[in-house]
Amino acid sequence: MPRGRRLQLAVAIHVCILLACRGINSDGTACSYDEHSKMALEMKGDFKENLEQLPELPEGVSSIVLEGEDGTSDTIPNAAGQMGSLRTYSYLLSLFGGKITRQAAYMGCAIYAQHTEDAHLFPGKHGNIDRLFTVIASGKPLTGRVEKA
């Protein structure tokens, strides 16, 4: 990746982190220091490196089900090619009280690192990141739950 693109990506990741960690809960109240410190990942410009900082999935997870306020539903299955997204969404749901809020979506974009830029350039290529973009744009949170087999 050319140096200029790496710099742009690094700036975009830091903006996502700042927006995610701006100290505001989804209900508009200020985060306490303890709540804010739970988001203290050392974000890298690489999704794999960011994943290494996330907790492992609980044993027996079969999928994550996400539901919108309008009744729409989507599933992230425990399948090849989805494990990183499963861990990312599981982490976000645990951190943000079972919801993917705008704040959670910004943090998710930072975790996905270089894939976030790719998703922006090629809509539809990364559906799990596109979903985060939708939450950011609409401000409408998703409720999620981890399903076990």
Side-chain angles (χ1 to χ4, degrees):
M1 181 183 300
R3 185 175 187 279
R5 290 301 266 170
R6 282 195 309 263
L7 181 59
Q8 285 177 335
L9 178 59
V11 169
I13 289 168
H14 288 289
V15 167
C16 286
I17 294 165
L18 289 172
L19 290 168
C21 300
R22 66 179 183 243
I24 304 296
N25 291 319
S26 59
D27 64 0
T29 60
C31 286
S32 70
Y33 174 77
D34 289 339
E35 291 168 326
H36 182 73
S37 66
K38 286 190 282 187
M39 292 185 251
L41 296 175
E42 186 180 334
M43 294 296 176
K44 309 285 185 185
D46 182 76
F47 180 49
K48 184 177 177 185
E49 289 182 45
N50 290 338
L51 277 180
E52 291 172 2
Q53 299 179 67
L54 301 183
E56 293 293 327
L57 279 175
E59 195 170 319
V61 171
S62 62
S63 65
I64 291 180
V65 177
L66 299 162
E67 297 172 342
E69 294 173 341
D70 60 359
T72 58
S73 180
D74 204 358
T75 301
I76 303 171
N78 186 343
Q82 296 294 314
M83 294 307 295
S85 287
L86 213 56
R87 280 182 68 189
T88 299
Y89 273 81
S90 176
Y91 174 73
L92 295 172
L93 290 169
S94 70
L95 196 63
F96 291 92
K99 295 195 180 289
I100 301 296
T101 61
R102 182 179 276 158
Q103 187 178 12
Y106 279 123
M107 178 154 235
C109 287
I111 292 169
Y112 277 111
Q114 76 275 18
H115 298 299
T116 299
E117 180 182 20
D118 195 50
H120 178 71
L121 294 172
F122 303 101
K125 183 175 178 184
H126 301 279
N128 294 321
I129 302 172
D130 292 340
R131 184 182 303 110
L132 298 176
F133 291 162
T134 299
V135 170
I136 291 168
S138 71
K140 295 178 182 174
L142 300 171
T143 301
R145 67 181 181 279
V146 175
E147 298 279 313
K148 294 196 174 189

